[in-house]
Amino acid sequence: MARSEAPAPSAGAPQAQRGLLSFPGFQSSATGDGAAVSSAAGPTSEVAGELAQPIRARPPGAEAHAPVLDIDGQSIGMHANERSRAMKGITKNKGIRGPNVKGTKTPESTKNPNDLIKEAVSHSLVNQTVEECMLVVRNDPVKGRVIFCTVCKQIITKIPKTIRTHLLCAAHGKAVSRAGRARTRDELRQSFIHDFVEDHPELKGASLPDDVHVARINVVEDWMRAGIPLCDLDDVRHTMEKGAQLTLTDSSHLRCYIPLIEKLEMDRIHKDISGQMLLLMFDGTCRLGEAINLVGRYVTADFKIHMRLLRFVTLAKHLSAVQMAALFNKFIHDLTRAGPGTEPVGFQRDSCSTNGATMDILKPLYPHTVDGLCVSHTVNNSGDHVKFKLLEEFIGPFIHLFSNSPGGRLLWRKHLGKSPKRHSNTRWYAKAEIIMEVAENWDKVAPLLNGLRGGNMAPESTNQLTLAFVKDPFRMEAEFQAACDVYLPLVTCCYNLEGDRLEILLARRMIDNVISLESGFFEAGGMPKLEAYLRAKLPLERRMWPALDLAKDIGNQTWTGLIQAQHKRTVNNQEGQYFKVKFSPPSGSTARPKVEELGEGDVRELLVVNDTDIYKELAQAAAEGPRYLRYRMEGNCAQSFNCSTMYAMLDAVQLFDPGFVNEVSEMDARKHLLAVCNLPFMIRDEEPMGTLPDDYRAELAKYRQSARSVTIKRDNVADFTEDVLHFWRARDVELPLLAAAARKVFTLSPNSAACERVFSILQAKFQDSQQSALADVIQTTLMLRYNKRETG
């Protein structure tokens, strides 16, 4: 139906009725459409006049776009453009495909839909019952009787081949499995609710049917897992009741289900860890109060690694070591009652003094456990000991201006085309990543600083940054390149050690590689980025000649060279710098020295840059990081930071890497097995310390023979973990003693990053509006999220 014209407004009608945008401080004359807009405070601005034009009807089919303003080359209000770009791949017409390429369409069968379902499930490929396939016949108000999949929530075309294809597709199989798990979960909850209500008849809603309670618990659990405040449920309550055909109530009443959900999650945790050997990781944080979390890691009999958040406790104030030990002892006592065989094999923590004092108290109570220090934290601290003077003066104000400032980030994006990496005081190696990004884009730093000074943003920090940059540009860039050479292996090692896989088998190798850099930095090729920079940018001034060494291979010998003279010369109409270089043979040779004339490029290729003073100074600064790591691993430090026991254990457990067994001799393999047997959780009372049991010795020979048939690569931690777990899973019967020992060893971890991830989830799920959330809400939400529970 055509829309009728609106009546013409009267002279005194409000401006909004006349179809004009109204702005504070502006008045419109009483003329018709397109009237000039005048300012009450002064002359009309072009922008205001342009924005205050009449709103006219959009032609049919025309696409609406939000106004786009361009401010200093940056587009504002781009949501319409971004949406159209995101929809481009969806709305693109890809044409007709498959059997309908000619535009034909297979007609639906006229058979009874129930008969079609029976035919489909009786097919040899499907082989299901009617109840298992989850297909039903429903009456659709438009299409009549249709076949509906109750787990995929879609109508299936009444074509026999289409029905079979749907039943055989992976998505339908996953949906059926998920629905089966949901039914089992609901049955258990219904039984739990029935018993709980019988024991607490005074509860509100106790007279409601059990299935209503279960439906409400599922909704509240979904809401909590997503980290959404429960009060927001009131805003969508009507829609949820309409779509899901369930009866909810006000959020204030739904809160009574939170303790029940917490109890259900605790029961699931106890069921999961029953009979398992646990590694207990713990960490805490101090803010207004104290938050402590306890994470458990275990390996099941089928050699699958599992992680569970066991407890998250918020307390009023910081705990002492005695109080924390008492708290953990209570937790462990509760966890070990989950079932026979449930016991801790070790603790994992960082080197915080309170954590160390706590372990001093717990260790006598649990003598058959290992006390592991987080190696990732140790590698991270190694990077903090690498100090470059000019770089430190520059990077502080740089992070302040570009990593944490919205205006600075926008300026960086304008010059580089991408956003800078963010800095975090808690995320490991955030500073190192920013330093490496700056070094990678060093040629953009000068234009960036010019734009910063022109924008009049944070004048004091800008001046500090500029003064540091111009102080010694050559030295500054050299320090950034040196930082890349030392930070890249440290960051790579740190990140590779932070996962929840079998990093325990690779940790010793990774740490030794980093420690070897202490001497490797001083060798040729030890710092490739710094060497390349010095070779390209080192000044070839006369005063530098005595300190510059050149090396050239002549007759299978390395001759050393010194620059003696410099002059300009024109070759092919191009003027360039040429140097006279005297090359001397190695000592003991009877050859006479040679003098050659070389261009600047040839001279730079022959430079021995690792003998220059600046290279040695920067290499010495870079070596402080690996040196600190070596001191920690060897125990040349305070007792609370001593990682020597952990370092020895990381060496011993390499035995369970089949590739490692292939690389070492039989004698070395026995030494590693003996060290494993002497670990606290492996000690057998009937065996004397320091001797290798005969049954383990016999299995070791079989293990070495079996390991020769497999090839396991260590390039990727995830692939390495899967290959090793598959190896031991397949040899559980062949090597029962070593397989049982492998399960215990695989429970261990070289890091406590799992606890850090709990705090990351806490920060992501609980915003400023949830600062008053109660302890049970926080703990239950984090458990549901971290433990990856299926809800609903």
Side-chain angles (χ1 to χ4, degrees), residues 26 177 340 351 357 382 421 423 443 529 574 634 673 738 762:
F26 289 91
S177 299
S351 53
S382 301
K421 294 185 179 296
H423 180 258
D443 56 330
K529 289 185 177 294
Q574 291 186 354
E634 293 177 352
L673 180 55
L738 288 180
L762 174 67

Side-chain angles (χ1 to χ4, degrees), residues 483-538:
C484 288
D485 286 325
V486 63
Y487 280 138
L488 182 59
L490 287 176
V491 171
T492 303
C493 178
C494 187
Y495 284 170
N496 286 340
L497 288 173
E498 286 183 3
D500 295 330
R501 299 181 177 92
L502 291 183
E503 292 83 5
I504 191 71
L505 301 184
L506 301 173
R508 178 60 182 258
R509 189 183 302 266
M510 295 180 187
I511 294 171
D512 288 345
N513 289 340
V514 174
I515 292 176
S516 67
L517 296 176
E518 181 183 356
S519 58
F521 284 148
F522 296 92
E523 301 173 358
M527 303 184 75
K529 289 185 177 294
L530 178 59
E531 290 183 26
Y533 171 75
L534 293 179
R535 186 167 283 112
K537 300 292 182 67
L538 195 67

